[in-house]
Amino acid sequence: MRYISTRGTAPTLDFAEVTLAGLASDGGLYVPEHWPQFSSAEIAAMRGLPYAELAARVMQPFVGESLTPDRLRELCEQAYGRFAHCAVTPLKQLDESQWLLELFHGPTLAFKDVALQLLGLLFEEFLARDESRLTIVGATSGDTGSAAIDAVAGRDNVEIFMLHPSGRVSDVQRRQMTTVLAPNVHNIAIDGSFDDAQAMVKRIFADAEVTGRHRIGAVNSINWARLMAQIVYYFAAALQLGAPDRKVAFSVPTGNFGDVFAGHVAARMGLPIERLVVATNVNDILHRALSEGDYSAGEVTPTAAPSMDIQVSSNFERLLFDVGGRDGMAMGEQMRGFEGSRAMLLTEAQRAGAGLFTSVRADADDMARAMRWACEEAGEVIDPHTAIGLHAARQQDLAPGVPVVTLATAHPAKFRDAVERATGMRPYLPTRVGDLFAREERLVELPGDYDAVKAHILEHAA
Ligand SMILES: *Cc1c(COP(=O)(O)O)cnc(C)c1O
């Protein structure tokens, strides 16, 4: 399998190269040159497979020659063996048509672990081949940071610099990052929003002074391998609910558009998906883009679902490229226009091509009501992000017999203050995160200034 850039001019790469690369050199994102297809019979034959084996089957066409099928299966077994539930991503029924897919049983309690536990192993595997080193630079609104740090802490050929917006992540989220004291882990709190942090990371990737000295890698969902690992649980859930003989809808709490883009890929590969619901909070650029064609960034409003407090959704570019005719030159022009003015209109082809998607915007009341409904009607305590997804799922008017699966993206204990405010219940932190509040923290605070961040990275990278 070869990978091409959404902006048309970067060199094509194989899977191992694309895993170690960040942004493409033309500023675009890598996508597979074509979508692998599974027939109905091939999908039916996946029923009942253990998660790690299903993962290896679904991902093998994307990995191509970069790993043998046996090695890929071993890595999947190792990555998913660290999950606290033996089903890895268990599915729970809430009422006749509503389901929850619990993606938070990994080491850091958010769905990011599903992809990052595997990505950490892929980095190690591919770096060992040419004895090279990787300097990871990432931005996090909370969950990517802890999941990425857990996945690479203590490994010798990888170093990680993680930027988070100071004061805008929950205590649990911050401590999951800052209490990891391994020498290859560098936490940076910046004075600014997640979008500011993400913009700095993009500049680092394009800064020849940095890239000339270090091989810079990505753990944000601009990294293709992350999206690839997320395709698997769409298959896992749909198979349990009757695929390929029955269509399933998914509702996805969305920020950077990575998770729901993986659903789009699953549909492209032949999984019968009825609808993909993009659930946003009041930071609703994606809702405006999908409902009105207007992709224009405003200011970020902090909410109780901080992992969705995003205006610019990197992976939306992958969708627009894929549904708008896969024209890299046109895409590059459209995105450069957006980067100049922070606004663009979707083309007719892009709007028509995104027909599988719908979107719902949820405010703080909608979110709290969904948390209470889950508690009172289904006996499930859910986190604020999941609640936004569930609110959107419950707005859908689908044919009888079409189940809606809400992706439960974080463990409620990760956002226990918000959960307690809405429901009166205070979720316990699972024992696997241990004595988080007793541990020492280490981080540096930097101003929201690119030169300061760059200087810090250059000074501390080995
Ligand atoms: C990252 C995250 C999201 C958003 O996922 P995207 O792939 O960025 O759209 C939603 N909920 C939680 C809990 C997250 O950590």
Side-chain angles (χ1 to χ4, degrees):
M1 175 67 81
R2 303 294 300 176
Y3 290 84
I4 57 174
S5 165
T6 51
R7 300 197 190 174
T9 54
T12 68
L13 302 180
D14 70 13
F15 178 72
E17 291 164 333
V18 91
T19 300
L20 297 177
L23 222 49
S25 58
D26 55 10
L29 300 169
Y30 277 105
V31 289
E33 181 176 61
H34 67 271
W35 299 119
Q37 297 290 314
F38 290 125
S39 67
S40 281
E42 284 167 323
I43 293 172
M46 296 175 186
R47 284 185 189 137
L49 290 178
Y51 190 90
E53 207 164 321
L54 175 68
R57 278 238 206 141
V58 170
M59 294 191 287
Q60 185 66 52
F62 294 107
V63 168
E65 314 274 281
S66 293
L67 292 169
T68 64
D70 282 347
R71 187 63 189 139
L72 176 60
R73 209 183 49 246
E74 276 165 24
L75 295 178
C76 289
E77 272 161 14
Q78 205 178 325
Y80 299 118
R82 287 198 65 201
F83 279 60
H85 196 295
C86 52
V88 183
T89 61
L91 190 60
K92 279 194 180 155
Q93 187 161 17
L94 298 179
D95 72 7
E96 264 170 27
S97 58
Q98 301 288 334
W99 298 73
L100 273 188
L101 182 64
E102 292 186 347
L103 302 176
F104 52 69
H105 293 279
T108 71
L109 314 181
F111 86 93
K112 306 292 199 292
D113 289 321
V114 178
L116 284 163
Q117 285 295 318
L118 181 69
L119 187 62
L121 299 175
L122 292 172
F123 282 152
E124 189 165 57
E125 178 88 8
F126 297 143
L127 289 169
R129 289 184 187 168
D130 54 2
E131 291 178 31
S132 56
R133 294 183 57 81
L134 190 66
T135 302
I136 294 166
V137 182
T140 184
S141 50
D143 295 330
T144 294
S146 49
I149 287 170
D150 185 275
V152 304
R155 296 187 196 274
D156 3 284
N157 44 7
V158 186
E159 192 146 29
I160 185 165
F161 290 85
M162 187 53 65
L163 279 60
H164 71 265
S166 184
R168 299 206 192 170
V169 300
S170 79
D171 284 359
V172 173
Q173 287 179 312
R174 190 191 67 251
R175 286 184 160 271
Q176 282 182 317
M177 298 190 276
T178 58
T179 62
V180 180
L181 303 178
N184 67 332
V185 173
H186 307 270
N187 278 293
I188 303 172
I190 64 146
D191 187 10
S193 69
F194 168 74
D195 285 320
D196 298 333
Q198 180 163 258
M200 285 193 213
V201 170
K202 286 192 176 163
R203 273 182 79 179
I204 292 277
F205 276 95
D207 190 325
E209 203 186 331
V210 184
T211 57
R213 285 205 247 166
H214 301 280
R215 181 177 200 170
I216 306 292
V219 286
N220 286 98
S221 53
I222 59 174
N223 189 311
W224 164 256
R226 264 191 64 180
L227 303 193
M228 175 190 73
Q230 292 168 197
I231 301 165
V232 176
Y233 47 70
Y234 286 90
F235 276 85
L239 283 163
Q240 285 178 65
L241 292 172
D245 305 325
R246 184 192 197 195
K247 282 194 162 185
V248 178
F250 289 91
S251 178
V252 187
T254 297
N256 231 339
F257 207 78
D259 208 4
V260 74
F261 185 76
H264 166 77
V265 177
R268 284 281 203 240
M269 294 171 77
L271 189 68
I273 293 181
E274 173 72 21
R275 189 177 291 174
L276 290 168
V277 184
V278 173
T280 76
N281 62 23
V282 295
N283 296 294
D284 63 350
I285 181 172
L286 288 167
H287 174 56
R288 285 181 282 114
L290 290 165
S291 56
E292 295 156 27
D294 166 27
Y295 190 75
S296 57
E299 290 299 308
V300 176
T301 306
T303 74
S307 300
M308 297 160 68
D309 291 347
I310 287 177
Q311 284 290 338
V312 180
S313 292
S314 306
N315 287 292
F316 200 51
E317 178 171 344
R318 285 186 161 115
L319 180 75
L320 296 181
F321 173 76
D322 193 44
V323 301
R326 289 194 154 229
D327 178 346
M329 293 304 156
M331 194 72 232
E333 204 168 303
Q334 194 180 9
M335 290 309 299
R336 280 187 293 276
F338 173 75
E339 282 157 10
S341 62
R342 291 182 54 89
M344 67 185 184
L345 295 176
L346 271 52
T347 66
E348 281 309 312
Q350 287 166 338
R351 292 190 69 178
L356 187 60
F357 291 85
T358 183
S359 61
V360 175
R361 169 195 198 268
D363 64 18
D365 286 342
D366 297 326
M367 183 190 73
R369 262 201 315 278
M371 275 197 255
R372 282 195 293 273
W373 181 85
C375 230
E376 287 158 14
E377 304 299 323
E380 289 295 331
V381 180
I382 60 174
D383 101 288
H385 304 79
T386 307
I388 289 169
L390 181 60
H391 168 77
R394 296 186 67 231
Q395 308 297 303
Q396 302 305 310
D397 188 14
L398 289 160
V402 177
V404 194
V405 178
T406 297
L407 304 197
T409 50
H411 192 290
K414 212 162 177 176
F415 300 95
R416 49 202 184 151
D417 295 335
V419 173
E420 188 174 13
R421 274 197 301 277
T423 65
M425 314 266 275
R426 189 163 180 83
Y428 283 108
L429 269 181
T431 50
R432 67 183 182 283
V433 297
D435 56 346
L436 195 60
F437 281 82
R439 281 185 236 146
E440 181 192 340
E441 288 189 78
R442 195 183 68 211
L443 77 165
V444 297
E445 301 261 359
L446 292 178
D449 167 46
Y450 177 72
D451 292 326
V453 171
K454 174 180 165 181
H456 181 84
I457 293 172
L458 286 176
E459 187 184 333
H460 292 89

